[in-house]
């Protein structure tokens, strides 16, 4: 079973069997990618399953929908409760939650006036996104595909069709024996991974790029920056040049799925001696404690299921 532990789906306000959560081939969202989604992790903690930064994810879900002028027929509180409900209904602990809203069937004109906005939330037990890379380091390809510019598509929105760009890049990376791709932006600066934000550790400074870069502003990125500052580490948010990857002591990814994953190889050449760096591992340790409710300072980031 590809979606381990998934037996129930929240769809348009009701919990239904997984097998019944289907859509019609004429759906606008399928034909043109007109949908928005979120990726959220829930963790088993000593106090039961807890969802990491649920409010921030629900906020971004509504922000993405707003950009595409999709009126979600639910409130933020209803979506928040539905995320918790779907974890409970499936009896899951550690899991990944996927809220999605898309234009359903009604018309295939691109301007789509008559398509209903359908909303679903499903969840399943998903392990480390980059597998053993989480602890051992991931191998990355600098993609020949560029990340689209914010003047082409709203980079700050998490929209279905926008991921065609990521799919091209990651497919190329896998074909070349790598685990993940890094994309440059239109100007040749570093953008991000196909599904992660990118950090450099250079002269003991934690560096990443900001909303003005062609990135999805990550909730994990913001959390890791906060953790770094709490640890007294210097941080800098600025444009990053591709050559800086090789000039840095350490490189790592952040993302809901990837969590904090060291990058130890670029284009088949070792980075930081081919081993996860000490600063990366320090940030990763605090992050993984925070998500599991083992660090009281970050207890406010967790919502009990
Ligand atoms: N960039 C892209 C393109 C992504 O898909 C993701 C995953 N949502 C991220 C960055 C990281 O964002 P977050 O930390 O909010 O998951």
């Amino acid at each position: 079973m590809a979606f381990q532990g998934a037996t129930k789906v929240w769809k348009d306000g009701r919990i239904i069997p997984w097998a019944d959560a289907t859509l019609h081939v004429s759906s606008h969202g399928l034909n043109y990618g007109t949908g928005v989604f979120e990726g959220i992790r829930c963790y088993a903690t000593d106090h039961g399953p807890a969802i990491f930064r649920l409010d921030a994810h629900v906020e971004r879900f509504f922000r993405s929908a707003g950009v595409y002028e999709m009126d979600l027929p639910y409130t933020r509180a209803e979506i928040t409760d539905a995320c918790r409900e779907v974890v409970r209904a499936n009896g899951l602990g550690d899991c990944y939650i996927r809220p999605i809203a898309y234009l359903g069937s009604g018309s295939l004109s691109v301007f789509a006036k008559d398509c209903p906005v359908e909303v679903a939330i499903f969840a399943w037990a998903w392990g480390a996104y980059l597998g053993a890379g989480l602890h051992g380091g991931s191998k990355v390809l600098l993609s020949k595909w560029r990340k689209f510019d914010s003047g082409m598509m709203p980079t700050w929105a998490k929209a279905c069709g926008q991921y065609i760009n990521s799919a091209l890049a990651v497919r190329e990376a896998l074909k070349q024996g790598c685990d993940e791709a890094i994309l440059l932006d239109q100007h040749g600066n570093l953008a991000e991974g196909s599904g992660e934000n990118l950090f450099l550790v250079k002269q003991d400074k934690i560096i990443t790029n900001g909303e003005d870069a062609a990135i999805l502003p990550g909730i994990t990125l913001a959390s890791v920056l906060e953790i770094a500052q709490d640890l007294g580490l210097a941080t800098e948010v600025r444009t990053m040049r591709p050559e800086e990857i090789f000039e840095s002591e350490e490189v790592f990814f952040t993302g809901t799925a990837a969590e904090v994953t060291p990058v130890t190889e670029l284009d088949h050449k070792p980075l930081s001696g081919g081993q996860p760096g000490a600063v990366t591992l320090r940030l990763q340790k605090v992050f993984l404690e925070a998500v599991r409710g083992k660090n009281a300072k970050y207890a406010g980031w967790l919502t009990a299921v």
Side-chain angles (χ1 to χ4, degrees):
M1 163 87 177
F3 294 94
Q4 208 191 327
T7 57
K8 303 272 195 327
V9 172
W10 183 98
K11 179 130 194 300
D12 300 317
R14 291 188 308 128
I15 294 284
I16 60 169
W18 173 270
D20 295 347
T22 54
L23 85 167
H24 197 265
V25 290
S26 64
S27 296
H28 202 274
L30 176 66
N31 283 267
Y32 302 128
T34 43
V36 298
F37 66 100
E38 265 307 316
I40 312 174
R41 269 198 195 268
C42 174
Y43 292 89
T45 76
D46 291 344
H47 308 288
I51 303 176
F52 185 67
R53 305 213 64 176
L54 180 55
D55 292 349
H57 282 285
V58 170
E59 197 51 49
R60 191 171 64 187
F61 189 50
F62 277 81
R63 187 183 181 199
S64 299
V67 175
Y68 283 94
E69 295 181 25
M70 290 172 63
D71 281 329
L72 300 185
Y74 301 97
T75 63
R76 283 165 174 73
E78 283 168 331
I79 296 295
T80 301
D81 282 346
C83 287
R84 298 165 65 215
E85 192 182 351
V86 84
V87 175
R88 280 198 305 269
N90 287 281
L92 288 161
D94 278 342
C95 63
Y96 185 90
I97 307 167
R98 165 58 50 89
I100 184 165
Y102 53 89
L103 296 185
S105 177
S107 155
L108 277 179
S109 56
V110 176
F111 57 82
K113 286 207 310 222
D114 308 317
C115 298
V117 174
E118 296 176 10
V119 185
I121 307 176
F122 52 109
W124 71 100
W126 208 10
Y129 185 65
L130 293 170
L134 179 64
H135 297 294
S138 59
K139 300 175 177 28
V140 170
L141 185 81
L142 192 60
S143 180
K144 73 168 189 286
W145 295 102
R146 293 284 175 103
K147 177 74 195 267
F148 51 84
D149 187 71
S150 59
M152 303 170 181
M153 273 191 259
T155 44
W156 58 91
K158 201 163 167 62
C160 299
Q162 298 185 194
Y163 276 78
I164 286 281
N165 179 235
S166 287
L168 284 170
V170 78
R171 187 166 282 270
E172 179 198 20
L174 295 179
K175 269 206 296 212
Q176 300 204 21
C178 297
D179 310 314
E180 181 50 294
I182 290 176
L183 292 86
L184 301 179
D185 70 10
Q186 274 296 96
H187 311 288
N189 296 314
L190 290 168
E192 59 181 349
S194 76
E196 306 85 8
N197 292 118
L198 183 67
F199 279 75
L200 307 176
V201 182
K202 203 174 167 190
Q203 289 159 351
D204 291 327
K205 201 176 269 180
I206 318 291
I207 304 165
T208 192
N209 46 14
E211 280 217 30
D212 53 341
I215 63 163
L216 179 76
I219 292 162
T220 320
L221 176 153
S223 309
V224 166
L225 275 181
E226 201 172 322
I227 289 172
Q229 283 154 10
D230 289 346
L231 290 173
L233 301 169
T235 60
E236 196 176 347
V237 177
R238 62 159 171 83
T239 302
M240 303 188 292
R241 293 289 307 160
E243 57 274 16
E244 287 191 89
I245 290 201
F246 286 108
E247 296 163 7
S248 297
E249 287 97 61
E250 302 178 27
V251 181
F252 65 91
F253 281 137
T254 63
T256 296
E259 300 169 306
V260 177
T261 298
V263 177
T264 51
E265 216 181 276
L266 182 77
D267 293 349
H268 307 290
K269 294 188 217 72
L271 300 174
S272 56
Q275 298 294 324
V279 177
T280 305
L281 292 181
R282 196 169 164 214
L283 291 166
Q284 185 194 61
K285 181 167 180 282
V286 179
F287 178 80
L288 293 178
E289 284 167 0
V291 300
R292 294 212 174 266
K294 294 195 184 303
N295 188 325
K297 188 183 278 179
Y298 306 109
W301 283 349
L302 297 176
T303 302
V305 158

